[in-house]
Structure formats: C-alpha cells, structure tokens
Amino acid sequence: MTKFRENKQKMEKSAFFFENLCIKALFRVIYGIFFVILRRYLRNVLRRKAMRNIPQVTKGLLIVNIVAFIICVLVGGSEYRVNGELMTDYTVNSIFGLYFFKAPGFQPYQFLTYMFMHGSWAHLFFNMFALWMFGCVVERVWGPKKFLFYYILCGIGAGLTQEIAQYVAYLGLVGDRVMSLGTTVGASGSIYGILLAFGMIFPEERIFIFPLPVPIKAKYFVVGYAVIELVEAFSLPGDGVAHMAHLGGMLFGFFLIRHWQKHPTSGYGRAGGQQFFENLRSSWEKRSKKPSATSTGNPDWDYNAREKAKQDEIDRILDKIRKSGYDSLSKSEKQTLFDQSRQH
C-alpha cells in the first residue's frame, strides 16, 4: 500500500512537472510571437514613418551622435562619483572632447568633434529629443545647407565661449583647478542655437513645456531658457554643466541670424529654404486638383472655394518670399506657413 502511494506521488509530481514545462513552453511561444510582432511594428514605424519624415541633415546628425555614443560605451572608461552619482569618464571623450586650451590634451580639432560626444544616455537623449523636435522645423524652413552651417557654427561658438569662460577662471587665481578639469562634451551648444532659431522664426508659436500646465510663446520660452542658464552659470559654477557653452551657442546663433536678416541675398540667405516653400506650393496644387462631392454626386463648391482661397494665400506668401526674403513676412504669414508645414 505504501509503495502504491509512493508511485502515485511520483506520478503526480511528474505530471505537475510536465504541466509546468508545457505552460512555460507555451508562454515562451506567446512571448516570442509578441516580440516578433512588436519588433516588426516598431521597425515599420521607425523606418517607414518616423525616419522618412525627418529631414536629411537632422537625421544624419541624430545618427552620428547616437553612433558616437555607442562607440564610447563599447570602448568603456573609468568610473567616478559626482555628488554621490556614479559617472563614467569615457576613453573616447578624452580624445575627442574639448580640453581647456592650456591643458596638455588640447587639440584644435576638438572644437568640431566635442559636439558629437556625450557623457551619458540621459545627456544624449535630451539633446537628441530637442534636435528632433525643433531641428526638423528649422531645417525645413532654411534648407539642409543653411541648417548644417548654422548647427556647426553654434557648436564651435559654444566651444569658444566655454574656453573664454575657463580662461577667465584661470586668470582668477583658480588656474590649478581649471587645468585639472575634464573635457567639455555634448551637442547642447548647437541645440540651444536651434532653440533660439525656432524662437526667432516662429516667435508667436505656442509650445507645451513640462511641467507648465499651459502653452507659452516660443519667444518667451527662448528668453526663459537663456535667463535660467545665465543664473545657473553664476550660482552653480561647479555643477559639471557647461552653462556658458549653452549661452555661447545662443549668442553666436543670434548674431548669425541677425546677419542673415540684414543681408538676405548673401550666403545662405533668401534661397536657403526655397525647396521647402516649393514643396508647399506643389502640395497645395495637388490638393486643389482633388474634387470633393456631396452625397448627390455634385461638386462641393464651398469646399473648392475655401481650398482655392487657401492656395491663393500660400501662393501670395511664397511670391513675397521670392521677392523680399522670408524675414519680410508678417507674424500671421509666418504662422500660416508654419501651420501648413506641420500638415505635410
């Protein structure tokens, strides 16, 4: 009798084990199918929709920055703590990051390479998110060449401003401390320049900024960011953030935009975003050729009249740009173009 019970218990354990094994196998199959579907969906979204809608220079900058940081992570570096937070001093950043010009590791090429390096995943994410959010709009207005020139110049200008700030600190009897500083890395100087450009191109456009409950105008957003950076530059000098570089990117961007406004036909002036406006015209012409009908099959004349009026307004604005440049537009005309650009 006892032997029979032991055999029965063994059979129950075996059945239980087999049942658990089947359940685990089933869950693995379900998870496998789920992740395959999810991977295909995300791949389609990223490749066919998101990346396709990003202008070529913005897309290239995103890819270069992300790839550069992945290389930093793969190569590795030494770890240290700042205010209790664990940080990594990546080896690649010690080569391509920007040193103080009196430091032994300084090289002139670092003024260009430092803006493609980053110190952490969070640092990379927030910079690239801002580049995607505002860079797409600015590049569509200016065109790829003008946008890339502006991005690089703001980055170099930010580096120069950081060097000047460090030199002032060096002269202020803290030379040893400045010489022992690490490298300056990040695209933040260029990003702040893009924020400024967006605010100057679309000053009345309202944007949502967390955690504010209501949207604010772009011009106030840019001024607010500049004020915050200026205050933090003097109140938090040792927080590990290159606040003066951020301000330098905005400063150089401001002077460059003002130069373009005063000389609209020079360099990347009036014709810089011509393709963008031509695309707007083409899209409106295509839409105007699509008739709309009522339930009885007759044309909707009111709809066609509204579309024709919109097209005439866009044509008038584009003609004004060709004659006098983008900066000759009024606030309402710029807003009309901005709204139309978001629909295409």
Side-chain angles (χ1 to χ4, degrees):
M1 192 69 178
T2 304
K3 188 174 183 181
F4 174 76
R5 289 180 180 176
E6 291 179 354
N7 291 335
K8 186 179 179 180
Q9 290 177 354
K10 289 181 180 180
M11 292 178 64
E12 289 177 352
K13 290 181 180 179
S14 300
F16 180 76
F17 174 78
F18 180 74
E19 183 179 355
N20 285 343
L21 186 63
C22 292
I23 292 174
K24 290 181 180 179
L26 180 61
F27 272 108
R28 287 184 179 180
V29 171
I30 293 174
Y31 281 133
I33 295 174
F34 171 76
F35 283 115
V36 167
I37 295 174
L38 180 62
R39 184 178 62 181
R40 290 182 178 179
Y41 171 77
L42 292 176
R43 182 172 58 188
N44 290 336
V45 170
L46 291 174
R47 291 185 179 179
R48 297 182 182 180
K49 295 183 179 179
M51 294 302 289
R52 182 182 62 185
N53 294 331
I54 300 177
Q56 65 179 89
V57 172
T58 303
K59 183 191 300 183
L61 290 172
L62 288 170
I63 293 173
V64 170
N65 279 274
I66 293 173
V67 171
F69 186 70
I70 291 176
I71 293 175
C72 287
V73 173
L74 293 177
V75 174
S78 57
E79 295 183 344
Y80 62 99
R81 290 187 178 275
V82 176
N83 297 327
E85 183 178 357
L86 185 63
M87 306 290 290
T88 303
D89 185 13
Y90 294 107
T91 303
V92 176
N93 284 350
S94 65
I95 300 174
F96 297 106
L98 180 61
Y99 283 93
F100 178 49
F101 70 92
K102 284 184 171 293
F106 171 77
Q107 296 293 335
Y109 67 79
Q110 294 168 354
F111 279 108
L112 180 64
T113 58
Y114 90 96
M115 67 184 77
F116 299 102
M117 304 291 109
H118 287 84
S120 66
W121 285 108
H123 189 199
L124 175 71
F125 171 78
F126 287 110
N127 276 346
M128 295 304 100
F129 179 77
L131 174 60
W132 167 77
M133 185 175 180
F134 297 100
C136 290
V137 178
V138 176
E139 183 181 349
R140 289 192 179 105
V141 174
W142 280 350
K145 292 183 179 179
K146 181 177 180 179
F147 176 74
L148 180 60
F149 178 80
Y150 179 85
Y151 182 93
I152 297 298
L153 182 77
C154 287
I156 295 176
L160 289 172
T161 306
Q162 181 67 9
E163 291 291 314
I164 293 173
Q166 290 180 336
Y167 184 64
V168 172
Y170 176 80
L171 296 178
L173 303 179
V174 290
D176 294 338
R177 181 181 176 186
V178 174
M179 293 293 290
S180 63
L181 289 176
T183 57
T184 300
V185 295
S188 300
S190 298
I191 300 302
Y192 272 74
I194 292 175
L195 295 180
L196 174 76
F198 181 87
M200 294 183 70
I201 295 173
F202 305 107
E204 302 300 321
E205 179 63 22
R206 295 181 179 273
I207 55 179
F208 280 95
I209 301 297
F210 180 83
L212 299 180
V214 294
I216 62 173
K217 292 184 178 181
K219 58 183 179 182
Y220 300 139
F221 165 71
V222 171
V223 173
Y225 249 93
V227 171
I228 291 173
E229 285 299 317
L230 186 61
V231 172
E232 290 185 346
F234 291 98
S235 61
L236 301 172
D239 62 347
V241 179
H243 298 290
M244 296 306 297
H246 300 169
L247 292 171
M250 299 182 80
L251 183 65
F252 274 73
F254 175 79
F255 285 125
L256 181 58
I257 293 174
R258 292 296 296 169
H259 171 76
W260 284 336
Q261 290 175 341
K262 293 180 180 179
H263 306 86
T265 59
S266 65
Y268 298 111
R270 183 173 59 186
Q274 183 176 359
Q275 186 62 42
F276 168 76
F277 299 115
E278 290 295 339
N279 292 338
L280 280 180
R281 176 187 285 274
S282 299
S283 65
W284 273 105
E285 291 176 350
K286 290 179 181 179
R287 290 182 60 183
S288 65
K289 294 177 182 178
K290 296 179 181 179
S292 176
T294 62
S295 58
T296 59
N298 296 324
D300 186 350
W301 298 108
D302 292 336
Y303 174 82
N304 289 338
R306 290 194 302 269
E307 291 300 304
K308 181 65 166 59
K310 291 180 181 179
Q311 180 183 347
D312 292 341
E313 176 65 10
I314 292 295
D315 290 342
R316 183 190 66 78
I317 295 175
L318 296 178
D319 290 337
K320 185 176 180 180
I321 291 174
R322 292 190 183 91
K323 293 178 182 179
S324 306
Y326 177 81
D327 295 319
S328 66
L329 300 182
S330 65
K331 294 180 180 179
S332 61
E333 290 170 337
K334 291 179 180 179
Q335 184 64 41
T336 300
L337 281 180
F338 179 79
D339 293 338
Q340 180 60 20
S341 67
R342 294 193 296 185
Q343 299 176 12
H344 300 278

